[in-house]
Amino acid sequence: MSSRIEILNDGGFRSDGRLPSELRSLAFDLSPQAGADGSAMVSHGLTQVLVSVFGPREAKSRAQTMHNRAALNVEVSVAPFSTSDRRRRGRGDKRVQEIVAMIKSTFEPVVQTALYPRSQIDIFVHVLQQDGGVLQASINATTLALTAAGVPLLDLVCAITAGVHSTSPDSPLLDLTTLEENDCPSVTVAVMPRSGKLTLVSLETRVHVDVFKGILEVVGEAGKVLSLEMKRAVLARTKMLKDAMGAGLRTAEFAEDAGGDE
Amino acid sequence: MRPPSPSIPEKEFLVASLAQNLRIDGRSLLEMRPTRVLAHVDAKMVRPPPERPYEGIITVHSEISPMASSLYEPGRPSEEEVALSRMLDKVLRRSDTVDKEALCVLAGQRVWHLRLTIHCLADAGNLQDCACIAGIAALKHFRRPEVEVVGDEIIVHPPTSRAPVPLAMHHTPLNLTFAFFPDASTTSSSSSNAPVDTTSLDGPVPSSTSPAPQMLLDPSPLEATLASSTLALALNSQRELCVVHKAGGMPLSPADVLRAVNVATDRVRELVSRIDRDISTDWNSRGVEVQ
């Protein structure tokens, strides 16, 4: 079925009307969950991921306690209604385990765990909707949730998926949908935008070396764009919090003034 | 039980020798050394699953027994074992090495089921690469009995009457693991969280100034534990990448990744030609008679 849909048509547009290097609409919602220390909901088009972060808090079990740094505990749950074929994926699912391992190893060198010895940071990832790029959305949401929780990070990690269609190996496609993921080889890369270095590179399909070089270049640029958007979201939330604190101060002053008049 | 971490003098000695471009087992930085792995393929005929009636089935089983190294214990699969089986699955099965449609005997009725079993005999470091080479060599070496379909009847010719046929293979991807060490001349800090200027998110770009990390091929167990990051590449002799896996550890610049890819393309070509040569010598030594 998917072979009938043109991934890239003659006019250079993709099946959903985007240009090759165009990202899907991005939405960042910081702290949608009041109970968590930090949480973030990230949507890349129709892919939606909610991450809540608890901690740094005391490690639950002795076995997990590390005397010199905090342990990262990542759990991923994929909602059964997130894909068109309704299917329950438990925690034992191989693909889920792989996402857990990748998120964990991406963030271990980025979170400054050495500041919190004998504690743990829990990261709970909920995949609510899937339309390609689940790993990228999970990583971006985790970055924002950790930021919202006030956990010190070396950089805002931005993940992005890129693929190449056989008809145009020179123009890599960014931010693939499920349809495109099934038809093109794809690479997921996590960039640290300040240094331009990569913390995660994951490729699972056959790609020529020269094409891979092209993808890496484009992905670096995309990471910078993403990081600007993420920074904007974080700044907006911080500003909102600051204003809210200011509002509290003003009421206090008002109450004080009122008290003084009596 | 967690394996004991290397002692401080052990670590310092390794780092100090790397600073002089020396490896403690006498190899050069980009030289390989084999670990021992036994790979074995067998085939049987099964009914295909209804969703893929035209494709044969390949399963990869890997096992690290305590025989390989004292670090491994029997029982639940360890983290290394899970990582190994995942990598082998990607390299040998998902990269379409073997033409699965050529394994179909009678559509929807009978297909070949190949079972590749990998036993790790001795782990002298870098089990993944060795297991992958073994798996590929086993698949290349394997011959299945010839079958004939007459109407709905399947005749399997025993090897004595007709020569067995090799598998149809698209390409031969091989896995190569690189270990990266931060350039010893500049970094003295040992923690993985190297202090970085975090005063401003818009700070200067450090990548242009920091020197390229030192890159080793085929790390020994000690090198693998001490390395600040590892990068696993699987590619074939046509310069096509099949798997790139780098998760965690020290962040690498795209240039470092590409440097590793360039080294790997040459190494893979050498390895593939060596595997081909060894298999053809073996095949010639068997003296198959064609009647």
Side-chain angles (χ1 to χ4, degrees):
Chain A
M1 186 203 86
S2 60
S3 61
R4 289 212 193 137
I5 294 162
E6 271 185 309
I7 294 297
L8 197 65
N9 68 13
D10 295 337
F13 288 100
R14 291 152 75 173
S15 53
D16 53 0
R18 282 184 290 158
L19 289 167
S21 58
E22 201 173 330
L23 303 179
R24 287 179 284 176
S25 66
L26 277 171
F28 299 133
D29 181 4
L30 278 95
S31 63
Q33 243 193 336
D37 289 323
S39 61
M41 175 113 79
V42 166
S43 329
H44 289 266
L46 293 176
T47 303
Q48 194 174 43
V49 176
L50 170 70
V51 173
S52 30
V53 168
F54 294 86
R57 58 186 180 187
E58 191 183 338
K60 283 224 179 83
S61 69
R62 265 285 175 83
Q64 285 178 353
T65 313
M66 280 186 271
H67 72 94
N68 56 353
R69 63 190 192 90
L72 289 189
N73 173 33
V74 181
E75 280 177 30
V76 173
S77 65
V78 180
F81 50 81
S82 61
T83 42
S84 52
D85 55 329
R86 193 183 175 94
R87 180 172 160 195
R88 185 167 287 279
R89 283 186 187 273
R91 270 197 294 163
D93 190 279
K94 251 193 179 173
R95 216 176 63 107
V96 173
Q97 274 184 331
E98 200 159 0
I99 294 181
V100 168
M102 291 218 247
I103 295 177
K104 195 172 171 182
S105 47
T106 307
F107 282 96
E108 250 161 10
V110 177
V111 177
Q112 292 195 302
T113 46
L115 298 177
Y116 305 104
R118 286 184 292 281
S119 45
Q120 76 175 23
I121 300 172
D122 291 306
I123 299 169
F124 298 114
V125 180
H126 305 272
V127 179
L128 303 180
Q129 284 188 66
Q130 299 190 52
D131 184 30
V134 171
L135 181 63
Q136 89 180 14
S138 308
I139 290 178
N140 292 336
T142 307
T143 308
L144 287 175
L146 284 168
T147 320
V151 176
L153 304 174
L154 288 176
D155 203 346
L156 293 175
V157 185
C158 303
I160 189 86
T161 311
V164 185
H165 194 242
S166 48
T167 51
S168 63
D170 304 326
S171 60
L173 312 176
L174 282 176
D175 198 4
L176 308 181
T177 60
T178 304
L179 211 102
E180 292 165 336
E181 262 183 0
N182 292 340
D183 263 18
C184 329
S186 66
V187 192
T188 302
V189 174
V191 195
M192 296 178 67
R194 267 204 312 154
S195 60
K197 289 196 174 178
L198 315 173
T199 52
L200 170 102
V201 186
S202 165
L203 163 91
E204 294 180 359
T205 29
R206 224 190 315 172
V207 159
H208 196 271
V209 169
D210 300 337
V211 175
F212 180 71
K213 283 180 190 165
I215 293 181
L216 274 192
E217 279 168 22
V218 175
V219 155
E221 289 302 309
K224 278 179 194 145
V225 172
L226 258 182
S227 83
L228 283 180
E229 288 301 319
M230 282 163 105
K231 225 179 282 173
R232 193 177 295 158
V234 171
L235 279 177
R237 176 169 178 275
T238 317
K239 189 166 178 303
M240 194 200 72
L241 283 179
K242 199 199 89 193
D243 292 349
M245 282 166 74
L249 274 182
R250 273 199 297 280
T251 27
E253 273 168 21
F254 181 73
E256 219 167 70
D257 289 349
D261 283 346
E262 273 178 24
Chain B
M1 188 199 78
R2 230 180 294 172
S5 55
S7 62
I8 296 168
E10 240 180 326
K11 180 182 168 178
E12 280 174 353
F13 183 64
L14 181 109
V15 172
S17 40
L18 279 181
Q20 303 169 38
N21 282 337
L22 294 171
R23 278 169 95 167
I24 49 178
D25 50 6
R27 287 182 288 162
S28 73
L29 292 184
L30 299 173
E31 198 177 317
M32 299 178 73
R33 176 231 7 222
T35 300
R36 264 169 194 279
V37 169
L38 175 75
H40 170 80
V41 182
D42 56 56
K44 60 180 177 195
M45 259 195 232
V46 294
R47 179 178 287 275
E51 65 267 22
R52 294 177 186 278
Y54 307 110
E55 287 182 10
I57 306 167
I58 301 170
T59 47
V60 184
H61 299 265
S62 54
E63 201 175 300
I64 309 181
S65 66
M67 182 171 133
S69 158
S70 57
L71 296 180
Y72 304 115
E73 283 173 31
R76 271 190 79 227
S78 60
E79 213 165 280
E80 287 94 356
E81 200 166 342
V82 174
L84 175 74
S85 64
R86 207 187 282 151
M87 196 67 195
L88 286 173
D89 189 61
K90 281 184 205 162
V91 178
L92 300 176
R93 204 169 62 85
R94 277 203 261 166
S95 66
D96 277 334
T97 312
V98 178
D99 187 353
K100 281 195 211 149
E101 290 186 7
L103 294 175
C104 176
V105 180
L106 193 59
Q109 301 295 315
R110 277 283 175 269
V111 295
W112 286 107
H113 177 182
L114 296 184
R115 188 187 151 97
L116 172 65
T117 320
I118 287 176
H119 300 279
C120 302
L121 303 182
D123 180 12
N126 202 9
L127 209 51
Q128 270 187 16
D129 295 8
C130 187
C132 177
I133 295 176
I136 284 288
L139 286 173
K140 280 201 159 201
H141 189 257
F142 179 72
R143 315 262 148 163
R144 63 170 173 81
E146 194 173 356
V147 288
E148 202 176 0
V149 181
V150 183
D152 266 355
E153 205 183 339
I154 300 168
I155 307 160
V156 181
H157 294 286
T160 42
S161 65
R162 285 204 195 174
V165 285
L167 300 173
M169 291 182 70
H170 291 305
H171 62 138
T172 47
L174 292 178
N175 192 25
L176 290 175
T177 305
F178 290 86
F180 288 87
F181 284 83
D183 193 41
S185 55
T186 52
T187 42
S188 53
S189 78
S190 57
S191 79
S192 59
N193 285 328
V196 175
D197 171 37
T198 44
T199 45
S200 127
L201 278 177
D202 305 297
V205 182
S207 74
S208 52
T209 52
S210 63
Q214 214 165 11
M215 180 170 80
L216 312 182
L217 183 57
D218 188 16
S220 73
L222 182 63
E223 284 166 345
T225 19
L226 292 177
S228 42
S229 73
T230 55
L231 169 71
L233 301 172
L235 68 174
N236 59 23
S237 45
Q238 287 86 43
R239 299 184 71 227
E240 283 173 322
L241 282 162
C242 299
V243 179
V244 178
H245 183 77
K246 184 235 177 290
M250 176 179 64
L252 297 176
S253 68
D256 294 331
V257 177
L258 293 177
R259 194 155 59 99
V261 169
N262 281 340
V263 173
T265 45
D266 296 341
R267 284 304 141 107
V268 164
R269 210 169 295 147
E270 287 166 24
L271 281 171
V272 169
S273 63
R274 171 140 184 227
I275 292 172
D276 285 342
R277 199 182 61 221
D278 286 359
I279 285 179
S280 65
T281 359
D282 173 83
W283 195 242
N284 293 337
S285 72
R286 286 175 190 250
V288 181
E289 264 181 56
V290 182
Q291 290 173 338

